[in-house]
Amino acid sequence: MQQMVFPDVSGLMFTVDPVSGHRNTISIDASFGLGEAVVSGIVSTDSYQVRAGQIVKKQIAEKKKAIYPVAEGGTVVQELAPELQNKQALSDDKILELAQIGQRIEKHYCSEQDIEWCLAGNRLYILQSRPITSLYPVPKVYDNKFHIFLSIAHMQMMTDAMKPMGISVFQEILPYGKNSEFSLNSLMVEAGGRLFLTLLFFCIINFFVDFLSGELRFWMN
């Protein structure tokens, strides 16, 4: 049995920006009252973005209505007081606290999350968390550096997703990018059922092509 929460502020949080797909930007929507008004689109919400522990964007919306629970059961739509309509729904401290919670949830589930939350009194509550399924898949990297990837499939006009066995064959057939026989290939990585090559891979291939071409010219002369 769970206790019902009567929130002052509610909203949604995406641990990546769902519009740009930026993996290091946390996007938060907030409005007064129950989250039902946010999800159903009855109200315009405040929009906050957090990156590297700093608030990088705030858009304060005009919030004319809110949905509140009724003690006897059910909900009611109320007009907000004029002084609340253009007020920031969530304080800066709570925005940063919520963003930290979102990062912990993402780390726990090992995937980007779509989270429903609320604020009651001075306490944040997490109501629901689920994976974001609409993001364009990108290869995972573990060195926290910038990478340039090229899609093998699209280079070969193969627009459909590859089978897991086909991906494994491609990753195993070339020894480059593997530290050991059973390690993952760091130069040829998978995302969304497709293989991507790092630009470093092409540099290595070009080096060997140039080297072999030079050797061939040497022996021919």
Side-chain angles (χ1 to χ4, degrees), residues 72-112:
E72 296 78 16
T75 59
V76 61
V77 180
Q78 292 182 356
E79 293 284 337
L80 285 175
E83 62 271 17
L84 292 178
Q85 292 183 7
N86 293 293
K87 181 181 178 181
Q88 182 174 319
L90 199 61
S91 68
D92 288 0
D93 289 343
K94 288 301 178 184
I95 291 172
L96 296 176
E97 181 183 346
L98 183 60
Q100 291 178 350
I101 295 174
Q103 289 177 318
R104 284 158 46 196
I105 295 173
E106 180 183 86
K107 183 178 180 180
H108 175 78
Y109 287 111
C110 300
S111 67
E112 299 83 2

Side-chain angles (χ1 to χ4, degrees), residues 18-30:
V19 178
S20 68
H22 196 291
R23 261 53 179 185
N24 296 323
T25 299
I26 297 174
S27 180
I28 299 172
D29 294 330

Side-chain angles (χ1 to χ4, degrees), residues 186-201:
S186 61
L187 300 180
M188 188 181 297
V189 293
E190 181 270 341
R194 291 164 177 81
L195 277 176
F196 293 83
L197 294 176
T198 66
L199 193 60
L200 178 61
F201 180 87

